[in-house]
Structures are given as structure tokens and as C-alpha cells.
Amino acid sequence: MALGGYANRVAHVDLTAGTVEYRGIPEDWARKYVGARGLGVRYMLENGPQVDPLSPDNLLCFMNGPLTGTEANMSGRMAIVTKSPLTGTVTDSHHGGWSAARLRWAGFDGLLVKGKASGPVYLYVHDGVVEILDASDVWGKGVHDTVKFFRDRYGEKDLSVIAIGPAGENLVRFACWVNENDRASGRGGTGCVGGSKLLKAVVIKAAKKMPKAANLEAWKPAHKRALETIMDERNITSPRKGGLSVYGTNVLMNITSAMGALPTRNSTVTSFGPSAEKISGEYVKEHILVNDPTCHACPVACKKEVEIKEGPWKGLRMESVEYEPAWSLGANCGNDDINTVAKLIDLCNDYGMDAIETGHPISIYMEATERGYTNGDGGIAWGDTMAMVELARKIAFREGIGNVMADGADATARYFGHPELAMTVKGQGVPAYDPRGLKGMGIAYATSNRGACHLRAYTPAAELGVMPFGSLKVDPLAWKGKGELVKIFQDIHAFSDSLDLCKFSAFAEGAEEYAAQYAAIVGVECTPEDVLRIGERIYNLERYYNNLAGFREGSDYLPARFTQEPSTMPGSQGHVCELDEMLAEYYAARGWVNGVVPESKLRELGIID
Amino acid sequence: MQVNFYATLRPIVGGRTVEFDVGEQVTVKQLVDIIVERFPRLRKELLNADGNLYPHVHVFINGRDAPYLPNGVETVIKPGDTIDIFPAVAGG
């Protein structure tokens, strides 16, 4: 391959046959889809969109991008790409830490895993080779014990362990892969696919060996400029000064609640009132924060390690009480006990299940209890912390009602006879922004290619005015222009997810910084317009996959609660989400026909010949 | 009048909520001036060189960012209104 930046080595692992082949990346694919998310989806399309997610034929991709593990800031991200057993869409879910960098330093752009092993296995990746080894000793263990087992076996130095826990083994549909104890590729059930293949872990041993840029002369100014924007005191990424660095992602809890944009008690209301403070980033910093860990090549250090100092979970030390899981297992469930929030997040990490998704079946059960929909099948009150801890265990091990909840929010709501209680899009639970108070999130959730998601188009960056240097601020309660805004966000994030840079780089960097770094590392010409064009191609590729998988006209929607039940809380009182108006605007900007990519658009973008 | 502060503004004002003495009628802009007069370190956090609120700073009156109110920063604050001031915050 003529392009620089890549290892140009992908391991094709067949767990049924027990074989590993090493191949280069088709150059045309690398140019069109970059790496990580984009390239992973291209491999998924090649594998066939009709595949049953839990069959051996499904593909599970652990993907790096061309910037992964380089000197580029915030370049420690790995994309896990597969067909989701939760949504039926293609999905990609990213995690931080050092595993992605180590995969690159071990000599790989990606691992493509197919088939099903005859017994539990793990992949041992080192020195340009992948070994398939027996994992019987760790099957049944939680993620934390699994990590410890492999650290004992291979030594902690230069080691990353990406593992599934009991939830993945038990095929919980929102089970995830967890890297280095706490960094989860949370969304979409990628860990469930791992469990279906009897793949317990990916263990990577590789010393630091940063790839050089193809164009060193261009790299130096590109890197310098990107770093300067991250360090700038006017941006929230500014180390030890910006809100994201000082308080972590949970700095959001108070503002979304204050503006009536925090989905609370299964989105029945849009604010947690004074209770939001008790689970906020400010509260965490004042009471339980003990450390600020970071990821490869990141000066921001948004991770917040905590230690519980009192109560039943006293002594628990974990990272990290992020905004999303703190919301899902906190405000979403009427729980304002930060210690239990931390305990539940830690349990989710150890069981290996998405902490955002886990809160959904629990809050549905709570609302069903309140409304008398449980038909005598037990019940749980809002904020019942001890019952929540027990429910999390039951979900991971598919015990009792947990066996229903393990199939997701939609299945849980149907079980109680009230599907309208599921706050989902395409089967995936909404994250921590109520689209009645932040309307861009409404169109972003509805049109996300992996089901409800805040990371496909992070419109709060504009709706809260934190674009680089305050360059764009729009009214969170206005809907006009949000369809076009979401398209731009989706396209630029699709590109950065394919590099693969942390999403938070977008609070400082823009298309110009991305283009300059990509061009220097890979050794090609790239303009900001190219960044948006490539991102658009990747977004359309995903949509094309989903269309072929059966998501046709009318697949982009929101739960009726957001479009029909007005907010009753200050900041957004009286507002619903005007989805139909935004969808029309969005489809016009995309050139799609009611959610379906026309053939002409596929040709225009070079997705088909 | 009570004003709630958040995130990186709290260490500067020394707590979560601060009481300010204001006249009978005060606009959002006048209140911000009173605040930065009492806490001069807040000036560079809240106001640009022209003395206007940065776009990434939020002064909420009952949950609504002041620039989006019908009278913007000239809005008169009523007794009992909830006032929250945030610096730039985001995450996800």
C-alpha cells in the first residue's frame, strides 16, 4: 500500500477453524474510509448485512485508525465494530486507555474475528502475531479478575487486556468489552457478540513504538496547532483549568438538569431538581475524587477515579463516575446516592455490560411498578439502591426478571405490556440529554445509525456554546437549522472516529486540524472539505448497511414521550421535540428518501460503482 | 439575591451559592456587573474584552439562558427567580 501511517496488517481470525491469516488493507478502502469506524463498517458490509448478530458468521472487528498510537493528541481510541444484537444495525463502540495504541505498536491496524470457538479462548497479540489460546481458566470470571489473571500471566508492563464479563458470556444483549478494568466500549452489545463466539479476551503485549508520520515536515506544525487548541484556556479541554479536565464529563449534570434537559425517572420529567447536585461532577470532586487518570497521548485527563468513604460500599476504588452512567443509574432511576451510583458503574464494568443501557430496563421496571403495570410480578421503587444492585446482578446472570431485562429496554417494556415505556431508538436506550430541552439531540438520536446515541452528532457542543473558542452557539430550544447541524456533526465525527481520535478533541479541534494531522501522518493531500466529504461517505456507508439489513423508510423516530408529552420543568417547560420538522430538514440535507440512501447518492460518494 | 455558581466558578466565589445585595430592580447585565465587582477574578471568566458575556458562559434565569430571553441581558430579574451561572461545560 502506498499510504503511510498504517501498519498495513490486519489479522483475520477464524475461531471455528482456529486459524489466523494476515492481510494488508485494500488501499482503495483506506483512502475512502480511513480506518477504525469507517474501515470497520466497510469490512462489515463485505461480510454481509443480513448476518444474524449472534451467529458464527457475524464479524467482530477491533479496529485502529491511522492516527492511533501516534504522537497525535487523544489518539488512544479503539473502535469495536460489529452487527449489534441489541439493535440489528451496524454498530461501533470506542474505548480509551492504551489498548488501541498497543495494538498498533504490536503491528496491527485491526483484528477481524469470525466463527465460533469450540471452547473459551482469548487472543494473545504481540510482535505482529495473534495466537488463539485456551481461556477456560477465566471463563466465568468478572472483568476485574480476568485483567488480574492476565497481568499475573504476562506481567503488567506494556500489557492491555480487553475482556468480556459474565454478561457477555450469558449473552446479555447490551454486554460490552471493557479495557483495563474501566474503559468500556459500552454501547451496542459488542461483548454479547464476543460471548457468542466464546471469545473471552484480547490480550495485547507491546512496548511503546510510535509510528512516524509519512510527512514529518507537515506533521510538526499540524501537531503543534492541535496541541495549542487543546491547551488553550478558552477551551474546556485546557488541562487542570477547563471544566472537562477539572471535573470530568459529569460536569454536565447540573447544567442539563437546570435547563430542563436531563431525562429523569425514565424521562417522565426533564430535571432532577436539587438532587442533580448530589450526583454531579462538582459533588464528586468535593467528596470522593482521588485521582485523575488519563489515556494515551492525552493532556486533558477527564477520567476521575473515586474512592467510597462510607456506607455499604466503603473502600471501593474505581474509575470513573462518568456523566452518562451517572445519569442512567442515577437521575434516570431516581437515585441520588453517589456512592451507589459508583458501585453500580463498577458492577457494570465488572459484569461487562453497558452502564448506560443497564439503567433503562431498571427505570422501566420502576415506572411499571409506580403505574401498577407489573401484574404482581414484584416491583421496585424509584431510587431503591439495594434493589438496583441486586437487579444488576440478575441481569448479568439472567436470573428471574433479569432474564427479561437482559434482552434490553424494548423487551422489558413489552414484558410489562407497555412498550411505550421504552425510551429507545432502534432498540437502544437514549443517553443523558432530553430532546425536549436540547432539541438537536432529538434529531441526532432519531437518525443515529447505531440507535439512540449522543456521540454520532454531539449537538450540545453548539447548543451549550462550547465549540472551539465559542465559535458557534445555537438556541437549545430552537429546532430550525438543527437537521443541517446534525448532518455536519455526524460527518465530522465519522471522520474523527475513523482516525481514531477521542470525541472530546472536537471541543478544541475542527476539520482543519483533523485534515492537517491526517494528511501528515498518511502522506496525502487533505482539506477540511475532504474531511467532511469522507465523513459523509462513512455515514452513508453505515446507512446503506442498515438499509440492506432491513431498516427502511420510517426507521428514524423518537419515543412518543419526547414528541407528545411537553416538559413540565423550568428551562424547557411546555416544549416537545419537533422531530418531523427536523427530519424533513435533515433528509433534504442528506439527499435521502425518508431514511433510505438512494443509489445516486451511493454512486456520488463512491460507495458503489 | 441568591446566585448559584458551578464548576470552575465555585473555587473563585468560595462556594455554591452567594448572596448579593442588589436594588429593587436589577437586570441580568447589572447583576453580572455587581458580581464581577465583588469577585474581580470572575471578570475574565465571564466577560470578553468588550464587557459582554462570552458565548460559552451561561447565566440562567429559571433555567433559560439570558441571551434567549425576550429582553436578553436587559431582562429584569424578579423576586424568587432562580439564577444559575455556569462556565463552559460539556462532556458526554
Side-chain angles (χ1 to χ4, degrees):
Chain A
M1 186 166 72
L3 299 177
Y6 297 88
N8 196 25
R9 187 173 178 84
V10 174
H12 294 249
V13 180
D14 185 335
L15 292 177
T16 304
T19 58
V20 183
E21 289 182 24
Y22 304 99
R23 300 177 203 160
I25 302 171
E27 183 171 328
D28 179 50
W29 288 12
R31 288 184 182 275
K32 283 182 175 173
Y33 306 110
V34 183
R37 173 178 164 185
L39 195 55
V41 176
R42 186 61 188 84
Y43 280 113
M44 289 302 303
L45 182 69
E46 192 73 2
N47 191 57
Q50 309 290 344
V51 68
D52 176 348
L54 296 183
S55 79
D57 289 337
N58 194 10
L59 193 62
L60 180 63
C61 314
F62 298 82
M63 300 299 295
N64 278 343
L67 266 60
T68 305
T70 68
E71 195 183 7
N73 303 291
M74 306 166 108
S75 63
R77 305 290 290 182
M78 176 184 287
I80 302 181
V81 188
T82 192
K83 185 173 182 182
S84 166
L86 183 68
T87 64
T89 66
V90 70
T91 193
D92 62 290
S93 188
H94 303 237
H95 64 249
W98 277 266
S99 67
R102 290 194 174 114
L103 181 64
R104 181 66 179 83
W105 301 339
F108 291 99
D109 300 305
L111 314 172
L112 308 183
V113 183
K114 203 170 172 178
K116 180 178 180 179
S118 57
V121 296
Y122 70 99
L123 302 182
Y124 183 44
V125 184
H126 63 100
D127 304 306
V129 297
V130 176
E131 299 178 59
I132 305 172
L133 299 173
D134 180 16
S136 300
D137 289 341
V138 282
W139 195 257
K141 287 185 186 295
V143 167
H144 300 334
D145 283 344
T146 301
V147 171
K148 183 178 183 309
F149 176 89
F150 286 115
R151 284 179 175 170
D152 290 344
R153 173 170 286 186
Y154 294 109
E156 194 167 341
K157 184 173 165 51
D158 300 330
L159 192 79
S160 283
V161 179
I162 315 167
I164 63 168
E169 296 175 14
N170 295 321
L171 304 184
V172 173
R173 286 186 181 269
F174 46 91
C176 62
W177 288 90
V178 180
N179 170 44
E180 296 157 10
N181 281 322
D182 302 278
R183 316 291 177 92
S185 274
R187 308 233 72 190
T190 59
C192 182
V193 175
S196 76
K197 296 182 179 304
L198 299 184
L199 178 63
K200 177 68 179 178
V202 176
V203 181
I204 308 166
K205 184 89 168 175
K208 190 178 200 176
K209 191 179 171 187
M210 283 196 190
K212 297 290 181 200
N215 185 343
L216 269 178
E217 201 172 315
W219 171 249
K220 287 176 183 170
H223 175 56
K224 183 167 181 276
R225 176 173 168 174
L227 182 59
E228 282 173 354
T229 64
I230 290 168
M231 305 295 280
D232 194 300
E233 287 187 23
R234 292 171 293 177
N235 286 331
I236 62 169
T237 51
S238 179
R240 294 174 294 285
K241 289 179 181 163
L244 179 63
S245 180
V246 175
Y247 297 95
T249 56
N250 202 12
V251 72
L252 275 165
M253 192 68 74
N254 277 318
I255 193 168
T256 51
S257 185
M259 66 194 291
L262 185 70
T264 300
R265 296 188 187 89
N266 202 33
S267 304
T268 53
V269 291
T270 60
S271 172
F272 203 21
S275 293
E277 173 70 23
K278 297 178 186 173
I279 57 170
S280 68
E282 289 94 327
Y283 190 92
V284 166
K285 184 169 174 59
E286 287 166 18
H287 293 85
I288 55 176
L289 183 70
V290 290
N291 196 15
D292 305 280
T294 190
C295 300
H296 164 73
C298 182
V300 181
C302 72
K303 295 292 157 200
K304 301 299 160 204
E305 188 172 352
V306 304
E307 183 173 332
I308 306 304
K309 294 169 182 160
E310 59 187 12
W313 328 120
K314 183 179 177 181
L316 171 67
R317 189 167 173 136
M318 56 81 71
E319 64 170 85
S320 98
V321 186
E322 302 281 356
Y323 171 61
E324 290 290 341
W327 157 77
S328 181
L329 298 161
N332 177 49
C333 293
N335 170 24
D336 65 1
D337 178 46
I338 192 66
N339 293 344
T340 305
V341 167
K343 174 65 178 176
L344 284 161
I345 295 170
D346 191 60
L347 281 176
C348 286
N349 288 340
D350 195 37
Y351 294 146
M353 57 189 191
D354 179 9
I356 298 178
E357 203 67 42
T358 301
H360 277 271
I362 295 176
S363 65
I364 289 167
Y365 192 14
M366 290 170 166
E367 186 177 352
T369 302
E370 183 178 62
R371 293 183 184 276
Y373 294 161
T374 55
N375 299 318
D377 192 2
I380 176 173
W382 297 110
D384 184 338
T385 54
M386 299 309 282
M388 289 177 73
V389 167
E390 177 61 6
L391 267 181
R393 190 191 64 78
K394 285 184 171 176
I395 293 170
F397 290 92
R398 283 189 170 274
E399 285 183 17
I401 187 75
N403 190 39
V404 174
M405 299 164 90
D407 283 333
D410 283 0
T412 305
R414 280 197 306 270
Y415 176 78
F416 292 122
H418 288 271
E420 74 279 7
L421 299 191
M423 298 300 112
T424 59
V425 176
K426 300 179 178 70
Q428 182 159 279
V430 300
Y433 306 86
D434 195 297
R436 289 166 290 194
L438 280 158
K439 300 202 174 173
M441 279 282 93
I443 181 71
Y445 293 166
T447 62
S448 160
N449 285 329
R450 67 171 191 175
C453 173
H454 58 297
L455 294 171
R456 307 293 92 174
Y458 192 71
T459 60
E463 293 172 306
L464 296 176
V466 292
M467 299 293 286
F469 311 135
S471 56
L472 177 64
K473 184 177 183 181
V474 296
D475 185 349
L477 292 183
W479 68 263
K480 281 188 181 172
K482 296 287 172 70
E484 292 163 0
L485 183 74
V486 161
K487 176 191 178 294
I488 293 168
F489 270 108
Q490 286 172 341
D491 291 348
I492 196 164
H493 290 338
F495 185 84
S496 64
D497 279 347
S498 301
L499 288 176
D500 181 342
L501 292 183
C502 177
K503 194 62 51 64
F504 299 157
S505 65
F507 295 142
E509 303 177 41
E512 286 191 18
E513 286 80 13
Y514 292 151
Q517 293 175 89
Y518 169 68
I521 290 282
V522 176
V524 296
E525 296 290 320
C526 185
T527 66
E529 292 74 27
D530 293 333
V531 165
L532 290 170
R533 189 66 167 168
I534 294 169
E536 182 183 16
R537 181 183 300 124
I538 293 167
Y539 210 83
N540 277 265
L541 177 76
E542 293 170 343
R543 179 54 64 123
Y544 178 45
Y545 181 104
N546 288 346
N547 289 159
L548 293 173
F551 291 88
R552 305 294 299 180
E553 292 84 351
S555 296
D556 299 328
Y557 61 88
L558 282 177
R561 184 161 282 172
F562 298 129
T563 59
Q564 294 177 17
E565 297 178 18
S567 165
T568 56
M569 306 302 276
S572 61
Q573 193 164 22
H575 279 263
V576 294
C577 184
E578 294 90 343
L579 179 64
D580 289 344
E581 292 85 342
M582 289 190 284
L583 264 181
E585 195 180 73
Y586 175 83
Y587 288 149
R590 277 270 175 236
W592 292 354
V593 181
N594 198 10
V596 176
V597 193
E599 200 173 301
S600 57
K601 175 59 81 174
L602 294 170
R603 287 191 202 289
E604 175 195 320
L605 293 168
I607 294 171
I608 62 171
D609 295 327
Chain B
M1 179 175 288
Q2 286 194 335
V3 179
N4 303 317
F5 293 89
Y6 297 89
T8 49
L9 303 183
R10 283 191 182 172
I12 297 173
V13 301
R16 180 185 174 195
T17 303
V18 179
E19 185 82 29
F20 291 90
D21 287 328
V22 298
E24 274 192 16
Q25 282 211 328
V26 64
T27 65
V28 173
K29 190 172 188 319
Q30 288 166 337
L31 175 63
V32 170
D33 289 341
I34 291 168
I35 290 171
V36 297
E37 189 176 325
R38 179 160 157 195
F39 297 103
R41 281 178 59 206
L42 279 182
R43 181 175 296 278
K44 79 178 183 69
E45 304 295 328
L46 304 181
L47 305 175
N48 63 19
D50 298 328
N52 298 317
L53 284 169
Y54 280 120
H56 57 255
V57 166
H58 308 275
V59 180
F60 283 0
I61 310 300
N62 301 321
R64 190 71 167 128
D65 213 351
Y68 300 126
L69 294 169
N71 294 319
V73 294
E74 299 302 329
T75 299
V76 175
I77 299 171
K78 300 189 298 294
D81 282 349
T82 300
I83 303 153
D84 299 293
I85 303 186
F86 294 86
V89 289

